[in-house]
């Protein structure tokens, strides 16, 4: 315990000295078009030099991925030390130096399945924010039934040749590399899938943004036409990609669930409701709205505590369990409820789409509410996650 308190004191001192003032407090309102200075990659443009300095300082400490091994760009911290780091960053309201699919999804599976050459090639670049990744999973005919994917990967001797299409590829038009599921054996379903990595600048790769009801375009259609991929960029065994794919989905669902749907969301909502609906002796004036905001705040707190418990269980078991499907399902519903309450609390001001009569937060509330409808689809639909819970958590069997 004394060592942990010593680590806390050192961490607090280092953060105070190295976290720029402009990197403290809330950043821009979350949207479907993330700030490149937080997501990194070859195309990142740092309008604020402090953002670049903050990333470089944290990456040099290995604290963009604090629990990864030091030899791969991580901090080598224990889970207890990583929790202290998060607490101290929260104390000064430090913004995250880096957000990345590489950190949330690809990195953990590379640590588990990649060979040493692949780990040394890709993990340090992820930790330093040098490469931005996208995920090539869903296809027009393979969404919930992902194992039906048809993107073909042919063995051409010294390389693979990939032809096919992916859809709902998040930020593919801004990504540097892609981790992609491909079909290497057409005679089998789950056992005919492999997991490959390749550069989005490879000839034959094309990403086309899809405009959503929210007005933004975070997703893309991605086309592959005779894309040559070196064989060394296959992770795991030939036709062994389905196991990796499932593991990565567990990490994705875990991180979607802990990515801000719970925690302090109820506090933010309460402040907004007081601003628009008025206050009565320090409380939200509208009794019905007050009761529903209070209920949501309790659910958000309970959710955050449950996420923390499941994360700790996952660390003890060296990875997430099927229980993350419970959290993913709950997170989607919680965030949708929050967004709907936000719009309702704003009254007619929450119905704005554009124009001088609405401020940016009001416009963001409406667009955010529309965007939240996708929470129950992305990262595995709510229906699929309920099936996972019934089979792999509750142990229920299908009965004819």
């Amino acid at each position: 315990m004394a060592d942990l308190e010593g680590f806390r004191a050192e961490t607090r001192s280092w953060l105070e000295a190295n976290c720029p003032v402009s990197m403290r407090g809330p950043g821009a309102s979350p949207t479907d078009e993330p700030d490149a200075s937080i997501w990194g990659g070859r195309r990142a443009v740092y309008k604020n030099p402090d953002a670049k300095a903050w990333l470089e300082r944290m990456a040099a400490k290995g604290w963009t991925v604090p629990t990864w091994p030091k030899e791969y760009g991580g901090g080598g911290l224990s889970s207890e030390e990583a929790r202290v780091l998060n607490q101290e960053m929260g104390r000064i309201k430090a913004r995250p130096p880096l957000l990345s699919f590489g950190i949330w999804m690809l990195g953990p599976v590379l640590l588990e399945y990649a060979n040493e050459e692949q780990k040394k090639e890709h993990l340090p670049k992820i930790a330093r924010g040098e490469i931005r990744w996208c995920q090539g999973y869903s296809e027009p005919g393979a969404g919930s039934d992902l194992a039906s994917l048809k993107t073909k990967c042919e063995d051409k001797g010294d390389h693979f040749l990939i032809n096919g299409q992916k859809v709902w590829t998040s930020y593919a038009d801004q990504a540097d590399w892609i981790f992609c599921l491909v079909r290497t054996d057409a005679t089998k379903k789950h056992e005919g899938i492999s997991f490959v990595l390749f550069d989005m600048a490879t000839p034959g790769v094309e990403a086309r943004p899809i405009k959503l009801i929210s007005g933004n375009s975070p997703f893309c259609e991605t086309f592959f036409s005779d894309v040559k991929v070196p064989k060394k960029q296959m992770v795991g065994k030939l036709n062994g990609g389905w196991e990796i794919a499932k593991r990565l989905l567990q990490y994705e669902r875990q991180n979607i669930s802990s990515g801000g749907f719970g925690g302090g969301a109820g506090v933010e909502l309460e402040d907004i409701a007081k601003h628009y609906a008025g206050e009565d002796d320090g409380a939200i004036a509208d009794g019905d709205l007050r009761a529903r905001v209070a209920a949501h705040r309790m659910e958000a707190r309970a959710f955050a505590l449950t996420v923390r418990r499941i994360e700790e269980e996952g660390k003890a078991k060296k990875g997430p369990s099927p229980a993350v499907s419970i959290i993913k399902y709950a997170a989607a519903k919680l965030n949708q409820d929050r967004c709907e309450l936000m719009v309702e609390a704003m009254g007619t001001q929450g119905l704005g789409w554009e124009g001088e009569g609405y401020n940016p937060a009001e416009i963001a509330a409406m667009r955010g509410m529309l965007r939240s409808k996708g929470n129950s689809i992305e990262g595995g639909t709510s229906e699929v996650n309920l099936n996972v819970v019934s089979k792999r958590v509750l142990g229920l069997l299908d009965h004819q």
Side-chain angles (χ1 to χ4, degrees), residues 92-149:
I92 63 171
K93 296 181 171 59
R95 294 177 61 184
L98 181 65
L99 302 175
S100 166
F101 291 152
I103 290 175
W104 300 332
M105 297 184 282
L106 179 61
V109 298
L110 290 183
L111 285 168
E112 190 170 350
Y113 293 97
N115 59 41
E116 192 64 19
E117 180 183 358
Q118 291 168 337
K119 290 177 182 178
K120 289 182 177 178
E121 169 67 20
H122 298 293
L123 291 173
K125 293 177 183 177
I126 291 172
R128 294 192 297 263
E130 295 175 359
I131 298 294
R132 182 170 176 175
W133 290 83
C134 63
Q135 177 184 17
Y137 269 37
S138 296
E139 297 183 6
S144 296
D145 184 14
L146 180 60
S148 294
L149 65 92

Side-chain angles (χ1 to χ4, degrees), residues 356-371:
E356 296 181 358
Y358 306 96
N359 64 44
E362 292 164 350
I363 292 174
M366 170 51 69
R367 292 175 185 255
M369 189 271 286
L370 293 173
R371 171 63 180 87

Side-chain angles (χ1 to χ4, degrees), residues 199-313:
D199 196 318
M200 289 292 284
T202 306
V205 178
E206 180 186 4
R208 302 176 188 171
I210 302 170
K211 193 167 186 177
L212 304 185
I213 192 173
S214 65
N216 294 317
S217 301
F219 303 115
C220 295
E221 297 177 285
T222 309
F223 299 88
F224 310 124
S225 302
D226 290 336
V227 178
K228 293 182 179 180
V229 175
K231 286 189 170 180
K232 69 176 183 178
Q233 289 169 202
M234 176 175 287
V235 179
K237 299 178 181 179
L238 181 70
N239 298 321
W242 185 246
E243 179 184 350
I244 301 175
K246 290 191 297 181
R247 192 63 160 172
L248 189 143
L249 284 172
Q250 286 185 323
Y251 284 111
E252 179 182 18
R253 289 163 185 168
Q254 174 178 287
N255 282 286
I256 287 176
S257 302
S258 59
F261 292 165
V267 180
E268 174 194 13
L269 182 57
E270 181 177 345
D271 291 341
I272 289 172
K274 287 179 180 179
H275 176 76
Y276 286 91
E279 294 186 48
D280 182 4
D281 196 23
I284 300 170
D286 185 304
D288 178 65
L289 180 61
R290 179 172 66 245
R292 286 185 290 136
V293 169
H296 177 81
R297 184 171 178 179
M298 288 188 287
E299 289 176 1
R301 179 59 177 162
F303 174 84
L305 292 171
T306 304
V307 167
R308 178 173 172 179
R309 175 172 57 81
I310 289 180
E311 285 178 343
E312 291 303 313
E313 291 174 354

Side-chain angles (χ1 to χ4, degrees), residues 48-65:
N48 182 349
D50 285 348
K52 189 172 187 293
W54 177 224
L55 170 58
E56 290 174 345
R57 292 169 188 172
M58 287 289 279
K61 293 280 286 185
W63 285 358
T64 56
V65 281

